[in-house]
């Protein structure tokens, strides 16, 4: 059975659980800070703790695939279990894989993350459009069939991104704006929210782009990268109500105690609510 469209499910999750995405980023230094070894046992313990602590209360959990892939097939098995258990507990899972390719290869990536029969099926996946927005068509079509979402890189928080994303297209628009306009076209008429989102860094200060895409705006950079929830209105303007701030180290550093993770996530969610509402 096809799921309700991702945009609608995300809107409901944000309204009921709070507008927050927590990353699951088990990099070596974080495992060490938790008193865990940088091995498959440490990876499994870390991941299980985060999922058990947060999956029943945050809107979105975002595992970073690379930190699982580095352990080979055993790491992927941990990732598969985390996706299944997080979704069963009510969290939406956004797979942070940043895939981008063409033709049948992009189709294979789409089948991996956006086909309901795949063991890595997720509610949404991050993708890169800089082989041309049309190269994403297999993922966009697969997501539409399964009720999943796609988050497209637009204006990222890393400084190197500007040399591509701020470059000027033939018609005078920045490449980022060109991609955002494509996303808006994909989301046209969707309610309450489209299922094609953009990744826009919360550290930008001023996005300098039209973010009215009728879709969610994933905003990495809150916490350890320097941005705060109070910065969101300046970056996102009138679109701030569709922002899903993403926090990783700002929450994860409060582990391994589950109560510390829950308290940190709850605090960030409350700060985002206040920033978005202006109260």
């Amino acid at each position: 059975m096809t799921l309700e469209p991702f945009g609608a499910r995300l809107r409901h999750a944000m309204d009921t659980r709070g507008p927050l995405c927590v990353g699951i980023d088990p990099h070596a230094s974080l495992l060490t800070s938790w008193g865990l070894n940088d091995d498959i046992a440490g990876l499994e313990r870390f991941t299980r703790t985060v999922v058990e602590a947060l999956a029943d209360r945050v809107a979105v959990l975002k595992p970073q695939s690379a930190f699982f892939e580095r352990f080979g097939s055993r790491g992927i098995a941990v990732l598969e279990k985390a996706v299944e258990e997080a979704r069963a507990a009510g969290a939406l899972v956004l797979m942070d894989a940043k895939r981008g390719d063409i033709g049948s290869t992009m189709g294979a990536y789409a089948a991996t993350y956006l086909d309901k029969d795949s063991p890595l099926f997720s509610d949404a996946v991050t993708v890169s459009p800089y082989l041309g927005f049309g190269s994403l068509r297999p993922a966009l079509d697969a997501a539409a069939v399964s009720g999943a979402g796609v988050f497209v890189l637009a204006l990222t928080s890393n400084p190197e991104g500007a040399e591509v994303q701020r470059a000027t297209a033939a018609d005078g628009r920045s490449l980022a704006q060109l991609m955002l306009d494509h996303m808006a076209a994909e989301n046209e008429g969707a309610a309450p929210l489209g299922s094609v989102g953009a990744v826009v860094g919360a550290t930008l200060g001023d996005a300098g782009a039209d973010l009215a895409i009728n879709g969610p705006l994933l905003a990495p950079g809150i916490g350890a990268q320097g941005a705060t929830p109070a910065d969101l209105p300046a970056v996102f303007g009138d679109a701030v109500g569709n922002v899903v701030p993403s926090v990783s180290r700002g929450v994860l550093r409060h582990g391994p105690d589950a109560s510390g993770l829950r308290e940190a996530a709850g605090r960030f969610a409350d700060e985002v609510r206040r920033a978005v509402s202006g109260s």
Side-chain angles (χ1 to χ4, degrees):
M1 184 176 67
T2 300
L3 296 169
E4 184 180 18
F6 173 74
R9 293 187 289 127
L10 178 61
R11 180 79 272 165
H12 176 74
M14 291 168 64
D15 291 344
T16 57
R17 293 186 168 207
L20 186 68
C21 168
V22 177
I24 306 179
D25 296 359
H27 51 75
S29 62
L30 193 50
L31 294 177
T32 299
S33 74
W34 277 35
L36 300 172
N37 292 329
D38 185 27
D39 56 19
I40 196 67
L43 174 74
E44 189 170 18
R45 176 67 178 274
F46 176 93
T47 305
R48 183 174 66 251
T49 299
V50 175
V51 171
E52 290 179 352
L54 300 178
D56 66 344
R57 63 196 62 218
V58 302
V60 182
L61 284 176
K62 181 174 68 65
Q64 169 48 259
S65 181
F67 291 117
F68 296 85
E69 292 173 32
R70 69 193 183 99
F71 290 99
S73 61
R74 294 178 300 165
I76 296 299
V78 173
L79 179 59
E80 289 177 3
K81 185 175 181 180
V83 170
E84 179 184 7
E85 293 183 349
R87 297 189 71 238
L92 298 177
V93 172
L94 167 56
M95 184 64 70
D96 195 356
K98 297 184 180 69
R99 301 306 192 215
D101 216 304
I102 61 172
S104 60
T105 306
M106 192 67 220
Y109 284 136
T112 301
Y113 304 109
L114 301 171
D115 185 324
K116 294 194 299 297
D117 293 328
S118 169
L120 283 171
F121 173 69
S122 303
D123 296 284
V125 65
T126 56
V127 296
S128 174
Y130 291 107
L131 286 171
F133 193 86
S135 68
L136 302 180
R137 182 51 55 193
L140 297 169
D141 289 347
V145 169
S146 64
V150 174
F151 280 88
V152 183
L153 301 181
L155 288 161
T156 55
S157 55
N158 63 306
E160 302 90 346
E163 68 184 39
V164 174
Q165 297 156 16
R166 300 288 188 182
T168 303
D171 63 2
R173 286 178 289 176
S174 70
L175 290 182
Q177 187 63 63
L178 179 61
M179 297 304 155
L180 289 162
D181 291 346
H182 279 302
M183 295 176 224
E186 294 291 326
N187 289 327
E188 186 175 2
L193 194 64
S195 297
V196 180
V199 180
V200 179
T203 57
L204 295 176
D206 179 359
D210 181 2
L211 301 177
I213 65 169
N214 190 34
L217 302 165
L218 183 71
I222 300 288
Q225 293 185 46
T228 70
D231 296 322
L232 296 174
V235 178
F236 294 94
D238 293 341
V240 72
N242 293 335
V243 171
V244 189
S246 178
V247 183
S248 295
R249 283 171 290 175
V251 170
L252 299 178
R253 67 183 178 85
H254 293 279
D257 183 64
S259 63
L261 296 171
R262 294 184 185 116
E263 290 171 6
R267 184 167 58 252
F268 273 112
D270 287 342
E271 291 177 5
V272 171
R273 283 193 190 97
R274 288 195 295 271
V276 169
S277 66
S279 61

